[in-house]
Amino acid sequence: MTQRMNTEARREQIACAALGLLAERGSEGFNIAELAESVGLVPSAVYRHFEGREDVLGAALDVFRDRVYALVDAARNEAENPLMALELLLTRHAKLIESGGAVPHIMASMDVPGGRADRRAKTQGIFRGYVARVEGLVRDGQDSGQIRSDIDPTSAALLFAGLIQPAVQLRHAEGERFDITAHVARVWELFRRAVGRD
Amino acid sequence: MTQRMNTEARREQIACAALGLLAERGSEGFNIAELAESVGLVPSAVYRHFEGREDVLGAALDVFRDRVYALVDAARNEAENPLMALELLLTRHAKLIESGGAVPHIMASMDVPGGRADRRAKTQGIFRGYVARVEGLVRDGQDSGQIRSDIDPTSAALLFAGLIQPAVQLRHAEGERFDITAHVARVWELFRRAVGRD
DNA sequence: TCCTCATGTGAATCCACATTCACATCATAA
DNA sequence: TTATGATGTGAATGTGGATTCACATGAGGA
């Protein structure tokens, strides 16, 4: 038998693995059997820790939310000023995409229509929260004078989000041939010209 | 019995209906029973005209591709110059989103990972084609001097695509409360400042 | 040591769909 | 008018995957 674990640790482990599968296969291809195998369990064991498939997906999204928000907060804390925080955030997104990390990948493909209503609501909430945080950075940038004050912060935040989303798709289509780091560097210049105060 | 149709017309009708359902439910929620009902047929009748579910989805994506490309080409033909073509294209995307039209909706939520390999390849091909067309507009804009020539056309095209994608998500989350037309007008100004030659 | 509860297992079930099939019906051409 | 092929129908059938269940096992306390 597999090494036993208390349910709290197991839940966390399963949720993380689920996030990985979700990023890899999408919610359509996500299935319990593969999830169980990826953590060295038998499918039925998953039900010791979760109500069911939807519950697992919900937990995976919670992990996702925490990671995304942590990414923004880290960039905010580590950078010298709001504009540099945005740049740092952008390059970190790019790195995650390059390494196959789940976060921005899911953010981009976030099933707009798919899935149950409550799951949809959750993903949308996560996205709103992300945008709100970026919006906060934009406001700070406006206060510090780096970002033009006549710009609508929400628009700027959505523009920022849009710097990555299409790149993720293209990355998926082209694979290695599409250099996401270089792309991000270029669109960052465009973004700065769009919102910057020079 | 339902009114008979020759298989060509029926295929087209079914493919269009399938695209609608795809936009509404996503590929995860898409099912033959609902599709059949939406065109007034019984599920098994669908198999008179298609090999199976994947075949239907493929046909729906063909319709999708044609519509998207037609949208770009129309904007290109109707506008006076490349920059105005991009603006026209953007506002038309916005209108479609507002009216619940499927096109940009699917473009945004385009299952990056989900689905069978061949279906994925198809959606990616459509996206690449879209980007390539926008890229062509950008090049034209550079030739005509409206767009800075030191900009990478691919980057600009992806930035353009990114103007809409996040907006679609937010629109879905906020519903009517999010005024997509107004948003698009604002990000267009940002886009123009980013790529324009003034 | 023995009890008991939490966790893990393998073998059923269940279920939502896709898919198939034998038959009905209509259009049309001879 | 009748024969034939194309299209539609309803009732099976098949199937992948989620979920349940009876049982096994190991860890920790009495």
Side-chain angles (χ1 to χ4, degrees):
Chain A
M1 188 189 306
T2 307
Q3 180 62 46
R4 290 164 72 107
M5 263 187 206
N6 66 57
T7 201
E8 190 185 3
R10 197 56 109 179
R11 261 189 77 97
E12 171 119 6
Q13 181 200 25
I14 293 176
C16 290
L19 180 57
L21 283 182
L22 197 55
E24 199 180 324
R25 303 235 183 293
S27 63
E28 190 177 1
F30 174 88
N31 68 82
I32 300 291
E34 203 169 1
L35 170 65
E37 192 187 11
S38 78
V39 295
L41 283 178
V42 102
S44 59
V46 171
Y47 293 84
R48 287 276 169 234
H49 313 285
F50 292 91
E51 301 274 336
R53 187 186 133 102
E54 280 303 316
D55 190 23
V56 176
L57 286 172
L61 286 177
D62 286 339
V63 173
F64 174 65
R65 170 176 34 67
D66 294 347
R67 285 192 194 167
V68 177
Y69 291 178
L71 211 57
V72 184
D73 294 341
R76 172 171 223 148
N77 292 331
E78 293 172 32
E80 291 179 17
N81 60 56
L83 205 53
M84 291 178 69
L86 286 172
E87 186 176 7
L88 184 58
L89 180 57
L90 190 60
T91 56
R92 287 197 178 157
H93 280 322
K95 278 215 191 68
L96 273 178
I97 296 167
E98 227 161 28
S99 68
V103 173
H105 189 151
I106 290 194
M107 189 69 118
S109 70
M110 196 116 78
D111 298 53
V112 176
R116 302 258 183 91
D118 48 350
R119 176 148 47 93
R120 218 178 350 180
K122 195 164 210 163
T123 59
Q124 289 169 351
I126 294 172
F127 182 67
R128 275 209 303 269
Y130 174 80
V131 170
R133 271 149 216 258
V134 172
E135 212 178 301
L137 280 172
V138 171
R139 281 182 214 281
D140 292 348
Q142 288 177 320
D143 291 346
S144 77
Q146 293 183 292
I147 294 180
R148 301 164 46 100
S149 54
D150 62 335
I151 286 176
D152 173 46
T154 304
S155 300
L158 289 180
L159 181 65
F160 181 84
L163 298 180
I164 328 163
Q165 288 200 349
V168 173
Q169 290 191 355
L170 205 50
R171 164 75 179 189
H172 231 263
E174 308 274 339
E176 303 290 331
R177 282 177 305 167
F178 180 64
D179 182 348
I180 248 199
T181 304
H183 164 76
V184 151
R186 285 193 294 266
V187 291
W188 170 253
E189 287 309 317
L190 295 177
F191 180 77
R192 180 156 49 177
R193 183 163 20 243
V195 306
R197 192 180 211 136
D198 34 39
Chain B
M1 187 189 303
T2 307
Q3 180 63 46
R4 288 164 74 107
M5 265 188 205
N6 67 57
T7 200
E8 190 185 3
R10 195 59 108 179
R11 261 189 77 97
E12 171 120 6
Q13 181 199 26
I14 293 176
C16 289
L19 179 57
L21 282 182
L22 198 55
E24 198 179 325
R25 303 234 183 292
S27 61
E28 192 177 0
F30 175 87
N31 68 81
I32 300 291
E34 203 169 1
L35 170 64
E37 192 188 11
S38 79
V39 294
L41 283 178
V42 101
S44 60
V46 172
Y47 293 84
R48 286 275 169 234
H49 313 284
F50 292 91
E51 301 274 338
R53 188 187 133 103
E54 280 303 316
D55 190 23
V56 175
L57 286 172
L61 286 177
D62 286 340
V63 172
F64 174 65
R65 169 175 34 67
D66 294 346
R67 286 193 193 166
V68 178
Y69 292 178
L71 211 56
V72 184
D73 294 342
R76 171 172 224 148
N77 292 331
E78 294 174 31
E80 290 179 19
N81 60 56
L83 205 54
M84 290 178 70
L86 286 171
E87 186 176 6
L88 184 57
L89 179 56
L90 190 60
T91 54
R92 288 199 176 154
H93 280 322
K95 277 213 192 69
L96 273 178
I97 297 166
E98 227 161 28
S99 68
V103 173
H105 188 152
I106 290 195
M107 189 69 120
S109 70
M110 197 115 78
D111 297 52
V112 175
R116 301 261 182 91
D118 49 349
R119 177 147 46 95
R120 216 178 350 178
K122 196 164 209 164
T123 59
Q124 289 169 351
I126 295 172
F127 182 67
R128 275 210 302 271
Y130 175 80
V131 171
R133 272 148 215 260
V134 173
E135 213 178 301
L137 279 174
V138 171
R139 281 181 214 281
D140 291 348
Q142 289 178 321
D143 290 345
S144 77
Q146 293 184 292
I147 293 181
R148 300 164 47 100
S149 54
D150 63 334
I151 285 176
D152 173 47
T154 304
S155 300
L158 288 180
L159 181 64
F160 181 84
L163 298 181
I164 329 163
Q165 288 199 349
V168 173
Q169 290 192 356
L170 204 50
R171 165 74 178 189
H172 231 263
E174 308 273 338
E176 302 292 329
R177 283 177 305 166
F178 181 65
D179 183 348
I180 247 198
T181 304
H183 164 76
V184 152
R186 285 193 295 266
V187 291
W188 171 254
E189 287 309 317
L190 294 177
F191 180 78
R192 180 156 50 176
R193 182 162 21 241
V195 306
R197 193 181 210 134
D198 33 39

